[in-house]
Amino acid sequence: EVQLVESGGGLVQPGGSLRLSCAASGLTFDSHAMTWVRQAPGKGLEWVSSISGVGTRTYYAGSVKGRFTISRDNSKDTLYVQMHSLRVEDTAVYYCAKYHSNVAERGWFDPRGQGTLVIVSS
Amino acid sequence: QSVLTQPPSASGTPGQRVAISCSGSRSNIGSNTVNWYQQLPGTAPRLLIFLNNQRTSGVPDRFSGSRSGTSASLAISGLQSEDEADYYCATWDDSLSGWVFGGGTKLTVL
């Protein structure tokens, strides 16, 4: 069974940094592109970033471009997102999800984890 | 101000059929397949429908999806109380080179 376990969330001040991780199991990790999706309190889902299976192609939402960096370590079956210059509006539960293929565009992705909460507040 | 437009709410009584619409444009729904996500209260979202009309494993056939032009729709027949949830449509947008979501529809079973 595929499992995705997010971690690294917490309370951070505006302008601060945080790195989230997503540990994957039950799948051939490098065969799947991965993505981060977030949900602000009481709000809808928002795509954040995606990365191809081998990590060579990355995509970002306009709201995080230049501040967030997605990466992966296929030797550790782990996905990351490094977040800098955090803003109050980045407060959300962050979910990781696997794509159906190793290409990080189109198709579909499937969130499997419970998410990790990031709170940006002074 | 989501790129995809969904009604904020929908409702029905047990046994009824309800449909949730998702409207986009040529660069997103008009060019790519649509996925639907279900989020039960207090839980993480899960993939419900992919490739416009394919049900994820374990999803009952009461759920069906369709796409036509720049719009998509999720239909739920034989409505049950456990269907009460938030539903989101999503697709790739060629102009943005990224994924776009609808604002979500809160389904209430009366």
Side-chain angles (χ1 to χ4, degrees):
Chain A
E1 182 191 356
V2 174
Q3 282 196 318
L4 301 174
V5 179
E6 302 93 340
S7 62
L11 175 64
V12 61
Q13 291 189 335
S17 299
L18 208 57
R19 188 179 82 156
L20 306 183
S21 301
C22 169
S25 60
L27 74 164
T28 304
F29 190 62
D30 59 5
S31 294
H32 296 273
M34 298 292 291
T35 193
W36 288 98
V37 174
R38 68 184 181 183
Q39 186 170 35
K43 302 296 184 183
L45 299 175
E46 179 189 16
W47 171 73
V48 175
S49 182
S50 298
I51 186 168
S52 62
V54 294
T56 52
R57 298 208 69 170
T58 58
Y59 304 84
Y60 296 93
S63 58
V64 307
K65 199 166 189 176
R67 300 188 299 122
F68 289 15
T69 301
I70 192 171
S71 63
R72 62 191 297 160
D73 186 339
N74 288 346
S75 69
K76 296 182 179 178
D77 292 351
T78 303
L79 172 73
Y80 304 99
V81 62
Q82 177 69 54
M83 306 184 293
H84 293 298
S85 303
L86 281 163
R87 304 167 180 168
V88 171
E89 54 265 34
D90 294 318
T91 295
V93 175
Y94 286 73
Y95 299 99
C96 64
K98 74 173 188 68
Y99 275 76
H100 71 290
S101 75
N102 62 357
V103 176
E105 53 184 76
R106 301 182 180 88
W108 66 94
F109 54 78
D110 185 10
R112 291 295 184 104
Q114 291 306 302
T116 186
L117 176 61
V118 172
I119 300 174
V120 184
S121 175
S122 54
Chain B
Q1 54 273 49
S2 301
V3 173
L4 304 181
T5 301
Q6 294 181 237
S9 63
S11 63
T13 57
Q16 269 191 332
R17 179 185 184 277
V18 298
I20 297 171
S21 61
C22 176
S23 177
S25 65
R26 192 163 60 181
S27 65
N28 43 66
I29 295 179
S31 304
N32 297 289
T33 56
V34 176
N35 308 316
W36 289 89
Y37 295 85
Q38 178 192 58
Q39 188 172 32
L40 297 169
T43 69
R46 71 153 178 163
L47 180 65
L48 191 70
I49 299 279
F50 61 99
L51 290 178
N52 301 325
N53 55 20
Q54 301 300 301
R55 288 183 298 276
T56 303
S57 175
V59 173
D61 58 8
R62 301 185 295 103
F63 292 84
S64 62
S66 63
R67 183 192 74 162
S68 178
T70 59
S71 294
S73 181
L74 172 70
I76 309 169
S77 60
L79 201 60
Q80 298 182 6
S81 58
E82 57 260 39
D83 299 333
E84 196 161 275
D86 294 324
Y87 293 87
Y88 298 89
C89 57
T91 188
W92 181 264
D93 191 295
D94 291 339
S95 295
L96 298 173
S97 290
W99 288 89
V100 290
F101 279 93
T105 298
K106 184 176 184 62
L107 175 64
T108 301
V109 180
L110 302 170

